Amino acid sequence: MLLLAQLVGCSSMSVEECQVADWYSVGLQDGQNGVPSTRINDYAQDCREANVMVDHLSWGNGYELGLTHYCMPDNGYRVGRYGGVYNGVCDNPQFIEQYNRGIQEYRVEQRIQEIDRELSTIAYQVQQLNKKQNGNSEEARYLRKREKMLRSERQALIVPTYQYQYHFSF
């Protein structure tokens, strides 16, 4: 099991890994992880240097089965929600839709965290200016303006604006 984890953890294989590889299992794991199908070319190159032939058919069969699991819509959302990279390996439009939904939520969350960090920095800077009795300086005014803008952006991210469409029929 550890060997399999090492095999899929990077795009190249050692001589020993090439010699003991279960190509179906490697393909299955690659498919389940959504890696590009070109990964087999990396294996072929590395294993050729070790005088080992890659079993393309076994790898491909495992890879296709792995993709059926990876390309499920709920997995698309999960991959996106955790900021995972999508390599364009799925033909399932629901997967792509859910991935896009998840990645959008991930990006909003990341932006909120950036804003929170910047707000903390601003609060510290304002506190330092107040200690120096420069609380009314141009810098302090700029920081308060920036803080207000960031709080507004943060609120908009947390409570999205909904646009309603009205349809009138007579």
Side-chain angles (χ1 to χ4, degrees), residues 21-101:
D22 172 354
W23 293 108
Y24 180 85
S25 295
V26 173
L28 179 67
Q29 195 69 33
D30 285 345
Q32 289 174 334
N33 289 327
V35 300
S37 61
T38 56
R39 173 67 58 90
I40 195 166
N41 297 333
D42 298 330
Y43 298 144
Q45 180 179 350
D46 293 339
C47 291
R48 185 176 20 252
E49 294 170 7
N51 291 322
V52 174
M53 295 296 294
V54 171
D55 184 344
H56 289 261
L57 182 60
S58 292
W59 182 89
N61 289 336
Y63 181 76
E64 289 301 318
L65 179 60
L67 281 182
T68 63
H69 297 286
Y70 177 80
C71 294
M72 299 298 288
D74 62 332
N75 190 52
Y77 176 77
R78 189 172 24 261
V79 170
R81 189 64 183 87
Y82 291 104
V85 174
Y86 170 56
N87 293 305
V89 297
C90 300
D91 292 331
N92 183 345
Q94 289 85 16
F95 172 91
I96 296 166
E97 180 181 311
Q98 291 301 309
Y99 173 80
N100 288 333
R101 186 175 136 233

Side-chain angles (χ1 to χ4, degrees), residues 86-169:
Y86 170 56
N87 293 305
V89 297
C90 300
D91 292 331
N92 183 345
Q94 289 85 16
F95 172 91
I96 296 166
E97 180 181 311
Q98 291 301 309
Y99 173 80
N100 288 333
R101 186 175 136 233
I103 197 72
Q104 179 63 31
E105 289 178 17
Y106 172 79
R107 289 177 180 154
V108 166
E109 183 178 272
Q110 294 302 300
R111 179 61 185 144
I112 288 170
Q113 290 175 4
E114 288 173 17
I115 290 170
D116 288 346
R117 285 190 294 274
E118 190 170 349
L119 286 171
S120 292
T121 301
I122 288 172
Y124 176 77
Q125 291 171 334
V126 168
Q127 181 184 20
Q128 295 304 308
L129 287 171
N130 286 337
K131 283 182 181 178
K132 295 178 184 177
Q133 298 180 346
N134 293 332
N136 289 324
S137 68
E138 187 65 33
E139 183 180 5
R141 283 191 292 279
Y142 167 79
L143 289 172
R144 284 191 289 275
K145 184 178 178 180
R146 177 78 179 142
E147 177 186 26
K148 184 177 179 181
M149 185 180 72
L150 288 169
R151 288 191 186 284
S152 177
E153 179 184 354
R154 187 180 195 286
Q155 184 63 32
L157 290 170
I158 291 173
V159 182
T161 307
Y162 294 99
Q163 295 182 3
Y164 296 98
Q165 294 182 353
Y166 297 98
H167 298 280
F168 296 100
S169 49

Side-chain angles (χ1 to χ4, degrees), residues 3-12 17 29-30 33 39 43:
L3 176 61
L4 184 59
Q6 291 173 339
L7 293 178
V8 299
C10 60
S11 62
S12 61
E17 291 168 331
Q29 195 69 33
D30 285 345
N33 289 327
R39 173 67 58 90
Y43 298 144

